[in-house]
Amino acid sequence: MKYFLLQITAAAMLLVAGCQSKSQTADHDSSNLETTSTKDTVKAEVQTTFDIDKIKVASAKTILARKQVPVLCYHQIRDWKASDSKASKDYIIPIATFKEHMKMLADSGYHTILPDQYYDYLNNGTTLPSKPIMITFDDTEHNQHKIAAPEMKKYGFKAVFFIMTVSIGRPNYMTRSQIKELSDNGNIIGSHTWDHHNVKKYQGKDWELQIEKPTKTLEEITGKKITDFAYPFGLWNPEAIPELKKRGMKSAYILATKRDENDPLYTIRRIIASGYWSSRTLNNSIKNSF
């Protein structure tokens, strides 16, 4: 009981800060993004069998050679309050700013993709739409359903919502029905642990509490298999990857740090879309980071 009380207390503190990571280190690829499989000249060298569904996984060298797709990470979509700290405003996007971001992406010709598409591209060189981009949201904030989803719908955009299950149904967080609605509308629901506990600190039963149980909860809500995971704070370690594989995760997302040279599908990079960024700044950050 003491453990759970400590976990819940920690969760309350972490929810305020969100998935914070100060690193914006770019992991640049020298190759250009290919939008057709016929242009992809990279040949898979060593194939290994992925236990879940017997997927053939390309070598890390093959995957790392492909140009990365820009992946954006959003948190709260609401106007700033007087009580918001300077640091927290990085993770709080004013409503008008978010709308400007989405309009810029649409006007610039970006097309949203989802994890399975990105996985197939990285693993198999499968065709992607022109100017692909992925939009993701962390932490189960209700304004993602209320504000972000309708705004994206205007442009035909779909997104990935990484859900922290401890917060489901709490004030200012999404309900089970809202999560299911997002899933039913073609968005992807991914796991973001039970209470945002740092994966690097997991021991023993933590894997069951933080990964297995939340995954089952989300599968019950959506009626779909949950295979995508986002590390809290973007923090990960090599020891976490086999644990995620054993628990059904096909891909996992970090933030702006360098990808793992052995398991790049479990260290897919994202950048946090800052509340301070204009649409022009976001556009420049996309180009410079990926």
Side-chain angles (χ1 to χ4, degrees):
M1 179 61 73
K2 181 179 179 181
Y3 174 78
F4 283 97
L5 290 174
L6 288 172
Q7 291 281 41
I8 293 172
T9 300
M13 295 174 64
L14 292 169
L15 290 175
V16 176
C19 299
Q20 298 185 17
S21 175
K22 295 300 180 182
S23 172
Q24 292 295 315
T25 304
D27 177 22
H28 295 293
D29 286 30
S30 59
S31 59
N32 294 321
L33 174 65
E34 302 294 352
T35 56
T36 61
S37 56
T38 57
K39 291 182 181 179
D40 183 6
T41 60
V42 180
K43 183 179 179 180
E45 297 177 355
V46 179
Q47 298 284 326
T48 58
T49 301
F50 188 69
D51 289 338
I52 303 169
D53 300 328
K54 302 298 181 182
I55 297 173
K56 293 290 185 179
V57 180
S59 70
K61 183 177 180 180
T62 296
I63 294 167
L64 289 168
R66 304 194 200 280
K67 182 73 173 92
Q68 298 173 84
V69 169
V71 184
L72 305 179
C73 176
Y74 286 96
H75 293 82
Q76 297 184 54
I77 315 296
R78 65 167 176 81
D79 293 334
W80 291 344
K81 300 176 183 177
S83 59
D84 292 329
S85 68
K86 182 178 179 179
S88 68
K89 289 178 180 178
D90 262 329
Y91 309 94
I92 304 169
I93 312 295
I95 296 171
T97 301
F98 180 78
K99 291 181 176 181
E100 290 172 3
H101 285 189
M102 295 301 104
K103 185 177 186 303
M104 180 277 293
L105 293 177
D107 290 347
S108 299
Y110 283 101
H111 297 88
T112 56
I113 64 169
L114 295 174
D116 280 353
Q117 291 172 277
Y118 197 9
Y119 184 96
D120 287 342
Y121 160 72
L122 289 173
N123 196 49
N124 307 313
T126 305
T127 302
L128 289 175
S130 60
K131 297 194 76 170
I133 196 165
M134 190 185 299
I135 302 172
T136 70
F137 297 86
D138 288 2
D139 298 350
T140 329
E141 297 278 344
H142 82 288
N143 41 50
Q144 298 169 4
H145 173 271
K146 181 180 179 181
I147 299 169
E151 190 64 25
M152 290 188 297
K153 187 177 181 179
K154 294 179 182 179
Y155 304 105
F157 291 168
K158 303 295 183 184
V160 188
F161 295 84
F162 289 109
I163 302 298
M164 180 172 49
T165 55
V166 71
S167 58
I168 296 175
R170 292 185 175 182
N172 299 320
Y173 293 93
M174 281 191 264
T175 63
R176 295 171 71 97
S177 62
Q178 289 171 333
I179 294 169
K180 180 167 175 36
E181 181 183 337
L182 290 172
S183 176
D184 289 347
N185 287 340
N187 300 288
I188 297 300
I189 302 301
S191 175
H192 199 40
T193 74
W194 176 57
D195 68 350
H196 212 275
H197 192 59
N198 185 347
V199 169
K200 296 173 75 171
K201 298 181 179 180
Y202 288 6
Q203 296 180 357
K205 292 289 186 179
D206 287 336
W207 291 105
E208 179 182 355
L209 174 68
Q210 298 289 350
I211 307 299
E212 291 181 23
K213 289 184 177 180
T215 298
K216 291 178 181 178
T217 297
L218 295 174
E219 289 177 345
E220 290 171 0
I221 291 172
T222 63
K224 300 173 184 177
K225 188 72 175 174
I226 303 299
T227 59
D228 307 294
F229 178 80
Y231 299 95
F233 314 106
L235 300 175
W236 64 280
N237 58 11
E239 292 76 18
I241 295 175
E243 298 291 346
L244 292 174
K245 289 180 180 180
K246 287 191 294 185
R247 288 161 176 83
M249 296 302 162
K250 190 168 74 172
S251 65
Y253 291 74
I254 58 175
L255 288 175
T257 52
K258 188 176 181 180
R259 294 178 292 174
D260 183 66
E261 294 182 355
N262 298 310
D263 281 293
L265 292 173
Y266 290 86
T267 50
I268 298 174
R269 292 180 63 253
R270 306 186 290 169
I271 58 171
I272 292 176
S274 171
Y276 292 104
W277 288 359
S278 65
S279 58
R280 181 177 180 180
T281 304
L282 174 62
N283 197 22
N284 289 335
S285 295
I286 290 170
K287 293 176 181 178
N288 292 333
S289 298
F290 296 94

